[in-house]
Amino acid sequence: MNIFDRFRLDGKKAFVTGGARGIGKYAAIALAQAGADIAIIDRDMEPAQAAAEEIAAFGTRTLAVGADVSEYSDVQSMMVKILSEFGTVDIAFNNAGICINKNTQEMSLEEWKKVIDINLTGIYLTAKAAGMVMVAKKAGSIINTGSMAGHIIPEPQYHCAYSASKAGVIHLTKSLAAEWGIHNVRVNSISPGYIDTGLTQAVQRRSWIERVPLKRIGKPEDLQGAVVYLASDASSFTTGSDILVDGGFCCW
Ligand code: NAD
């Protein structure tokens, strides 16, 4: 088969959490352009609906589902909705996340728990929900959003809960890949560096650019190639991997 054909996702059913905006929305666009039907999952329903309508222009089916990924009952209802509309799930991009930039002395226990609940437990819940469908049919690709903060400690802003949650995502990914490889379910993560989205608006960025070898902040589009690669047969022997998309930040 032609290598470019192996990147195609025609007829595949995908969901993207945190798909209303930022990295998730651009990933959903790329998956739709490759041919997949897309369910946009987000706790903000209005922008999720708008994203789904925009992505429908690429000619595949779309669906918007409101869910908080840290709530077990929401994840269950989300899967019921996806399965009733699409019949199955082939690709899960577990991407929803938040960041609280605070020094450890200033971070409350509630803030710590909120970050861990959404960034780590949320990925566990949505990966497990998708994985159970995929294990049963012995096919599927799960992609989790980690961060370069799961590898190194970025500065000047500090966010111990965020860094710990993302290191957890990268190791959870490897753990699921080891468990589910025998069922032909691949599980990988993508670790973005600094990307221009709502998540990074509140932080001063000049010092970041100086430290990025490519001398710029990333755009959500910079993640699209890695997402389609990991979702598709082009990555058929790749599981348990983490792809850093950070402009080289972690080289230092
Ligand atoms: P963003 O804020 O632009 O988008 C995040 C989306 O997730 C939003 O639409 C939000 O409503 C949704 N969301 C948040 N909590 C949710 C929940 N509990 N349930 C359902 N949806 C929820 O941020 P982004 O930059 O696109 O971030 C996407 C992912 O990329 C996150 O996991 C983030 O940690 C990771 N990341 C981002 C950067 C960056 O520089 N932007 C760097 C590394 C990793």
Side-chain angles (χ1 to χ4, degrees):
M1 187 189 270
N2 183 307
I3 181 59
F4 292 110
D5 292 338
R6 297 188 69 197
F7 284 85
R8 292 294 313 172
L9 300 171
D10 301 289
K12 300 286 186 193
K13 314 297 177 195
F15 73 71
V16 177
T17 73
R21 54 176 76 81
I23 291 168
K25 179 178 169 184
Y26 279 85
I29 289 171
L31 294 170
Q33 287 174 337
D37 294 334
I38 309 289
I40 300 285
I41 316 298
D42 208 284
R43 65 181 175 186
D44 289 347
M45 190 54 186
E46 208 175 297
Q49 188 64 52
E53 283 166 20
E54 189 183 325
I55 292 165
F58 295 106
T60 62
R61 287 175 66 198
T62 62
L63 173 70
V65 184
D68 179 338
V69 296
S70 66
E71 294 291 337
Y72 179 58
S73 58
D74 278 20
V75 173
Q76 281 185 312
S77 319
M78 165 199 116
M79 282 308 290
V80 168
K81 180 89 174 149
I82 293 168
L83 294 178
S84 73
E85 295 282 335
F86 287 171
T88 191
V89 60
D90 304 292
I91 298 155
F93 184 32
N94 304 302
N95 163 77
I98 60 163
C99 184
I100 297 177
N101 292 306
K102 278 192 178 176
N103 294 339
T104 303
Q105 309 92 289
E106 292 155 7
M107 183 170 285
S108 67
L109 179 59
E110 287 66 35
E111 289 170 327
W112 166 273
K113 284 183 175 169
K114 187 174 178 189
V115 173
I116 299 295
D117 280 355
I118 295 174
N119 291 10
L120 183 55
T121 309
I123 287 195
Y124 161 75
L125 290 174
T126 54
K128 182 173 175 179
M132 286 169 71
V133 175
M134 294 173 181
V135 163
K137 66 176 186 172
K138 298 219 170 285
S141 174
I142 295 173
I143 306 158
N144 301 323
T145 302
S147 169
M148 71 175 178
H151 293 267
I152 51 121
I153 306 304
E155 48 95 37
Q157 75 290 344
Y158 289 113
H159 40 48
C160 67
Y162 183 79
S163 296
S165 72
K166 294 301 187 177
V169 168
I170 294 164
H171 219 64
L172 171 65
T173 298
K174 292 182 191 304
S175 188
L176 298 179
E179 275 188 57
W180 291 342
I182 196 165
H183 301 294
N184 193 35
V185 176
R186 298 184 298 104
V187 191
N188 294 286
S189 56
I190 293 176
S191 283
Y194 292 124
I195 309 296
D196 187 9
T197 69
L199 194 85
T200 50
Q201 292 306 311
V203 191
Q204 68 91 6
R205 306 159 164 214
R206 198 149 36 90
S207 67
W208 293 352
I209 296 175
E210 286 161 16
R211 290 203 48 192
V212 180
L214 289 179
K215 297 299 169 212
R216 68 174 175 87
I217 288 181
K219 304 184 291 288
E221 295 93 314
D222 289 318
L223 282 304
Q224 289 177 313
V227 173
V228 173
Y229 167 68
L230 290 175
S232 71
D233 282 348
S235 61
S236 53
F237 199 52
T238 302
T239 196
S241 287
D242 181 71
I243 300 182
L244 270 165
V245 184
D246 66 347
F249 193 98
C250 291
C251 294
W252 301 121

